[in-house]
Amino acid sequence: MTDHPRDDPSASTIERLVNVVALPIGRWDRDARLVFCNAPYLMWSGRVRDELLGRTLAELYGDEAWERARPAFERAFRGATTSYERLLRHGTLAGRWARIQVFPDADAAGEVHSVFTIATDIHEDVTAREALVAARVRLDRFTENIPYPLTYVDAEFVLRFVNKAYCEMAGKPADQLLGRHIGAARGQKRWAEHEPHFRRALEGKTVQYTRLVDGLANNPGGGPRWLRTSYVPDFDEQGQVVGLYTVTIDVHDLTVAQEQLRRSVERDMLTDVLSRRTMMDRIEAAMVTATHEPVALFFVDLDGFKAVNDRLGHREGDALLVQVAQALQRSVRADDAVGRFGGDEFLVLAAVRDPSGARALALHMLEAIRQVSATVSGGGVSASIGYALAPADAQHPLKLLQAADDAMYAAKRLGKDRVQHGPVRSEVRSAATPPA
């Protein structure tokens, strides 16, 4: 690649762009031999340059690594930008997963003679991709083909550099963007959203902004996607900020996966009510303010569930648990917490004013479960509900749980299908039986 002339103002801008990115970059010929790598690549591989250049990917990292890379390389040599993932087995990175982005290095005629690779660590997060590495060698083509939207704006927020990916994201050619204030180029509504992050970066701070974006020009009809933009200050030799780089990456898959993971911890996988762990956290938090905001903890255990399971099968049994969970949620307010303690046991944590209010709520839940049970073929289940109040019955989370559990077992001993508060002092009449 030919270097830019020193008097070309865009050359210094692009060179500073390279200085703020730090990902390992390699360039490979049609025989999958490494013909160029930058300094971060040397550190990533754990080898010196002479041990790398001229050797094939299989020779460097093994046949298994090459088999993972081969389809992506083949597509890149046909002109497509693609990626693949593999488990690293070299140096200090052994055991970590990486995503390798592969994209073509095409000449002016569109012929692909080599491909670039960029490796990013996806083992914990994708932050390594937010500072993109470019090579001085073949720099103009590299910045055009890198698949992440890149910009450079000066201290007045005027666009001085945009790459092809940014133009595709913006849905505008470069000549409609360069030389214009970014707010005028992208619209005042978008500028109002991004301006605070630009201004913080202009103070010398690297800033990140993640948001859900709909209507992307390069994703027509694909629905909204999570994007993360990094705003990186560009300092001159005196340490003054003279401009900003922005790097935008698609973190949709990662964000969705993280949300699914968070939800799998917070929610019960079967019923989608809160998990046992989350319920215990809620109980602990409620105990802190129970003196001023009394709560009741209800321990709900289904009577006869095993018989239903044996008679109808586990699938129908699971469906019944889901219906019971939904019935409990409908029985309480949105601020109250419903969780599955395990098996056919549920917990409900609700704010109450007094014992009579707690009992009324318990009876309401009992009736809701009876209605669910009435839909089960051949007869369903009932519930034994025990409850305890905080701070009246207990001031410690585990003691409150134990008190509600004891009350539930008392309800079972008294004949099931009923509610019970605290220690049994006398037999409590079933809610289903009217007084004599």
Side-chain angles (χ1 to χ4, degrees):
M1 184 190 74
T2 304
D3 290 336
H4 292 285
R6 289 187 176 275
D7 57 354
D8 182 354
S10 67
S12 60
T13 296
I14 295 175
E15 288 176 0
R16 289 199 297 268
L17 174 64
V18 174
N19 291 333
V20 301
V21 293
L23 292 179
I25 305 167
R27 185 160 61 90
W28 309 77
D29 63 18
R30 284 193 167 273
D31 295 322
R33 294 183 181 278
L34 187 66
V35 296
F36 164 80
C37 64
N38 63 348
Y41 190 96
L42 300 178
M43 298 177 62
W44 182 79
S45 66
R47 306 183 189 185
V48 298
R49 197 180 303 274
D50 290 344
E51 294 175 343
L52 297 171
L53 297 184
R55 301 183 66 185
T56 67
L57 192 148
E59 291 171 341
L60 291 172
Y61 304 115
D63 292 337
E64 180 183 354
W66 170 237
E67 287 306 312
R68 295 286 295 179
R70 185 201 299 271
F73 270 56
E74 290 175 350
R75 289 193 294 271
F77 275 109
R78 291 195 296 267
T81 296
T82 185
S83 66
Y84 67 97
E85 297 176 4
R86 73 180 179 91
L87 187 64
L88 302 180
R89 303 189 183 281
H90 60 267
T92 59
L93 299 176
R96 296 188 69 82
W97 281 94
R99 176 178 290 118
I100 314 300
Q101 191 88 24
V102 187
F103 56 95
D105 175 28
D107 60 20
E111 185 174 354
V112 180
H113 298 285
S114 61
V115 297
F116 280 108
T117 61
I118 304 178
T120 54
D121 187 321
I122 59 171
H123 201 74
E124 298 172 353
D125 204 349
V126 294
T127 53
R129 291 184 300 178
E130 295 170 357
L132 301 174
V133 177
R136 290 182 181 274
V137 180
R138 310 181 65 83
L139 190 56
D140 52 349
R141 291 188 210 166
F142 174 73
T143 54
E144 275 302 292
N145 285 287
I146 192 169
Y148 306 122
L150 304 175
T151 72
Y152 180 84
V153 299
D154 62 21
E156 303 300 322
F157 307 118
V158 174
L159 283 163
R160 298 302 180 188
F161 169 80
V162 294
N163 71 340
K164 183 170 64 176
Y166 184 85
C167 294
E168 291 174 351
M169 184 182 73
K172 295 181 179 181
D175 59 6
Q176 294 184 17
L177 298 169
L178 295 177
R180 301 182 64 191
H181 187 284
I182 193 168
R186 297 302 312 277
Q188 288 303 314
K189 181 178 180 181
R190 192 181 303 273
W191 170 242
E193 177 186 359
H194 288 259
E195 182 180 8
H197 310 294
F198 273 96
R199 293 200 178 278
R200 283 184 60 201
L202 201 60
E203 296 172 358
K205 306 169 185 176
T206 297
V207 181
Q208 293 182 346
Y209 174 42
T210 302
R211 74 279 186 198
L212 192 61
V213 179
D214 201 358
L216 291 170
N218 56 354
N219 185 41
R225 295 190 66 82
W226 286 101
L227 301 182
R228 179 184 297 161
T229 297
S230 296
Y231 309 80
V232 183
D234 178 28
F235 298 93
D236 63 14
E237 294 180 357
Q238 287 72 43
Q240 299 298 313
V241 179
V242 295
L244 304 171
Y245 303 96
T246 72
V247 182
T248 300
I249 61 176
D250 186 316
V251 294
H252 188 80
D253 294 340
L254 177 67
T255 302
V256 170
Q258 288 177 332
E259 173 58 23
Q260 290 174 341
L261 178 61
R262 182 198 63 78
R263 188 172 182 83
S264 70
V265 173
E266 184 178 87
R267 295 275 171 176
D268 176 64
M269 294 294 289
L270 173 63
T271 63
D272 200 42
V273 295
L274 297 178
S275 66
R276 177 173 179 164
R277 172 181 172 181
T278 305
M279 281 300 298
M280 294 307 299
D281 290 342
R282 295 287 182 92
I283 295 169
E284 289 183 8
M287 296 301 288
V288 175
T289 58
T291 302
H292 306 291
E293 300 174 7
V295 294
L297 178 64
F298 302 85
F299 202 118
V300 182
D301 184 90
L302 300 184
D303 307 318
F305 177 74
K306 183 178 184 301
V308 173
N309 235 4
D310 293 342
R311 185 175 73 252
L312 301 179
H314 290 288
R315 178 176 297 180
E316 292 299 322
D318 287 348
L320 177 58
L321 290 176
V322 173
Q323 293 179 59
V324 169
Q326 293 172 348
L328 290 174
Q329 286 187 306
R330 290 192 299 268
S331 301
V332 300
R333 295 158 299 191
D335 292 339
D336 298 330
V338 177
R340 186 181 179 198
F341 192 69
D344 59 352
E345 297 176 331
F346 295 86
L347 294 177
V348 176
L349 181 69
V352 295
R353 287 180 303 211
D354 50 46
S356 62
R359 179 173 176 78
L361 181 56
L363 291 172
H364 185 55
M365 291 188 288
L366 186 67
E367 181 58 31
I369 294 173
R370 286 173 178 161
Q371 293 177 9
V372 170
S373 178
T375 66
V376 178
S377 175
V381 297
S382 60
S384 296
I385 302 178
Y387 62 96
L389 307 177
D393 298 326
Q395 292 81 44
H396 187 277
L398 293 181
K399 290 184 178 179
L400 183 68
L401 179 64
Q402 186 64 57
D405 186 44
D406 289 345
M408 180 273 293
Y409 277 107
K412 282 190 177 293
R413 290 194 300 272
L414 292 170
K416 305 178 182 179
D417 190 26
R418 66 187 64 219
V419 302
Q420 175 66 38
H421 171 214
V424 183
R425 294 183 177 84
S426 61
E427 183 171 324
V428 178
R429 185 181 302 275
S430 170
T433 306

